[in-house]
Amino acid sequence: MRSVWVRRPSPYDGPSGLDERDRRFAAEQSFWGTGGILASLPGTHYVNRPWNNRAAEYKPAQLAAAQQCGFLVPDTLITHVVRDAREFTARHRGGVVYKPVWNTPYRLAGQPHSVWVREVREQEITDAVAVCPHLFQARVDKAFDVRVTCVGPWLSGVRIDSPDLDWRRRQDLIRCGPVDVPEAVGKSIHAYLAHFRLVYGAFDFAVDRDGTWYFLECNPNGQWAWQPPETTHGIAQALADQLEKGSDA
């Protein structure tokens, strides 16, 4: 086995016809057995290794690594202390946004709902914050968003214009076009990937009205087919080049 492309594998729920206990047992044995083998093939070039993907998905680790690698990061607080959350929100007159630390599936009346990035005010913070960690971040007065997709040494940037704070909310309203990635940002991107031992990464930035780029997050397994055709063609070619390379060595 020369190369493996790990692209958003779906979970296996176990064989039908078993009761819940046996089905869950079979599913977990398959995950740790078959999944463990697929993630541990000797001499294989992974894009990306599953273990590295998982390590790079924790937002606190992302933000710490981003600062170490030279990115500008909006002032951020992760807390379950209500008082601290209110003080942080009151201190940032330019506004504060809330975002979940993980995209946990959430359902209302049986229907799936996404928890989008949204602006939050001091008076909106309730004692419910104490239930679990919440991520609050100073709002960037952005002119536009940017998605940078990096595959090995290759990278490409796309400017995203959206009427929403979170452009993912109504993707039918976004407008995309190519954008040049500043050299300093490119260097930080490669340093970030090296830090987490990744080959591929999808980086999100907010660019303010002065042209300053702020790191928001990196999805080590981010989707890319929604981008303009000239960009997706380049990403597909870069991925094919990586898979052709073979061994990590």
Side-chain angles (χ1 to χ4, degrees), residues 160-164 167 169-176:
I160 304 169
D161 291 281
S162 168
D164 298 318
W167 59 263
R169 184 177 181 183
R170 295 184 292 177
Q171 292 193 34
D172 58 316
L173 298 182
I174 66 175
R175 291 182 292 110
C176 298

Side-chain angles (χ1 to χ4, degrees), residues 132-205:
C132 63
H134 289 59
L135 192 157
F136 300 97
Q137 196 167 68
R139 178 174 180 172
V140 177
D141 183 20
K142 64 183 180 182
F144 55 89
D145 290 276
V146 171
R147 163 64 64 87
V148 177
T149 306
C150 187
V151 188
W154 182 94
L155 59 79
S156 179
V158 169
R159 169 174 172 157
I160 304 169
D161 291 281
S162 168
D164 298 318
L165 176 64
D166 189 335
W167 59 263
R168 302 169 302 171
R169 184 177 181 183
R170 295 184 292 177
Q171 292 193 34
D172 58 316
L173 298 182
I174 66 175
R175 291 182 292 110
C176 298
V179 66
D180 292 331
V181 180
E183 182 179 355
V185 173
K187 288 182 178 179
S188 293
I189 285 174
H190 291 301
Y192 182 99
L193 292 180
H195 175 87
F196 284 110
R197 302 176 67 186
L198 301 174
V199 176
Y200 172 93
F203 292 78
D204 287 325
F205 297 91

Side-chain angles (χ1 to χ4, degrees), residues 22-74:
D22 290 342
R23 185 192 59 78
R24 183 177 301 172
F25 180 85
E28 292 194 2
Q29 293 301 305
S30 297
F31 175 85
W32 294 103
T34 306
I37 291 170
L38 291 174
S40 307
L41 298 170
T44 300
H45 182 56
Y46 284 85
V47 183
N48 294 308
R49 283 192 174 275
W51 323 131
N52 298 347
N53 272 351
R54 178 50 57 92
E57 285 177 330
Y58 290 93
K59 279 192 170 62
Q62 286 191 18
L63 296 170
Q67 289 184 313
Q68 294 172 20
C69 294
F71 288 117
L72 289 175
V73 179

